[in-house]
Amino acid sequence: MTGKKKLGILLVVIVLGIILCLFVITKIKDRGGVVVKCNSDFPVNEKLVAYRQDDAAWKNDKIGESKYTMGSSGCIITSIATALSSTSVAMDPGAMNKFLSKNNAFDEAGNLQWGRIDEINGLYADVYSDVSSEIIDNCLAAGHYPIIKIHRKSIFSYHHYVLIIGTENGEYVCMDPLQDHLTRLSDYNDKIYAIRCVYYEK
């Protein structure tokens, strides 16, 4: 066997190995999600403000006392800011980050401690152990907006949080903190891995 043939076989083996690795990574990343389909109609609230987590005004802000920034890890905070943007306690993601930090809502690694939100006057956080369209619809029916954990369609991207803000043409409409336009749950394969809901009541 010539050197060129050996090199060709080696390259084929390497390419097949890479394809197999990517396939395994994708399968591992997508495990555990629940496919959710829209069964009800909920108009999108036009008063909601769709923010980006990587807006220049706050993308470099640290989350709590952690090393993580809004630009890299601020999807939950940005989703909360949009969810509350039509209420009397509206604030942009930068201000929301500072507000939650002041109220000790993050641990040392910058993870949001959902129970801390209930300790802030007027704010509530519902944490669900299950994932279903019924939970989403109940939130929307109450005038609240579910924050959902999804996986983006990217080999190198793991979990991400977006906000469901209503329905349209039989699909859940989402505000993605990393997109300039509204998305659909189908953009994330209709798969959800967790549901949270933060809202304000006087």
Side-chain angles (χ1 to χ4, degrees):
M1 184 180 294
T2 66
K4 287 185 177 179
K5 285 186 178 180
K6 288 182 179 179
L7 180 58
I9 292 173
L10 178 61
L11 289 175
V12 169
V13 171
I14 291 173
V15 170
L16 290 176
I18 292 173
I19 292 173
L20 178 60
C21 286
L22 293 177
F23 176 79
V24 171
I25 289 171
T26 299
K27 288 299 181 181
I28 292 174
K29 190 179 80 166
D30 289 344
R31 74 186 187 280
V34 176
V35 174
V36 175
K37 294 294 184 180
C38 175
N39 299 311
S40 305
D41 294 321
F42 298 98
V44 173
N45 183 350
E46 299 296 334
K47 294 182 180 180
L48 294 176
V49 181
Y51 295 107
R52 284 189 64 111
Q53 67 188 74
D54 55 358
D55 187 294
W58 50 74
K59 70 177 183 178
N60 294 319
D61 292 357
K62 295 292 179 61
I63 297 175
E65 299 298 322
S66 76
K67 64 180 180 180
Y68 300 102
T69 65
M70 285 292 294
S72 66
S73 307
C75 51
I76 292 177
I77 300 168
T78 305
S79 294
I80 293 174
T82 291
L84 300 178
S85 62
S86 64
T87 72
S88 59
V89 294
M91 59 188 84
D92 65 43
M96 180 63 68
N97 178 40
K98 291 181 174 64
F99 175 74
L100 293 175
S101 296
K102 181 180 178 181
N103 284 276
N104 301 311
F106 303 109
D107 65 15
E108 293 181 355
N111 298 307
L112 181 61
Q113 305 303 290
W114 297 94
R116 295 275 189 175
I117 293 178
D118 287 332
E119 299 173 6
I120 302 173
N121 189 35
L123 291 186
Y124 299 88
D126 292 337
V127 177
Y128 300 94
S129 58
D130 296 322
V131 171
S132 69
S133 58
E134 181 180 6
I135 292 173
I136 294 171
D137 291 351
N138 286 341
C139 289
L140 293 172
H144 308 151
Y145 304 98
I147 300 168
I148 60 169
K149 180 180 179 180
I150 55 89
H151 287 171
R152 300 176 68 204
K153 290 183 178 179
S154 169
I155 294 296
F156 304 105
S157 174
Y158 199 53
H159 66 262
H160 180 51
Y161 286 86
V162 302
L163 186 74
I164 293 181
I165 60 175
T167 64
E168 189 175 82
N169 298 324
E171 289 195 82
Y172 288 114
V173 179
C174 306
M175 187 288 296
D176 187 329
L178 288 175
Q179 297 290 338
D180 288 325
H181 56 83
L182 297 181
T183 59
R184 301 289 185 270
L185 188 56
S186 58
D187 294 328
Y188 317 102
N189 298 318
D190 290 313
K191 266 191 172 184
I192 298 178
Y193 297 79
I195 302 175
R196 305 287 187 263
C197 196
V198 176
Y199 54 95
Y200 171 75
E201 289 185 354
K202 296 180 180 179

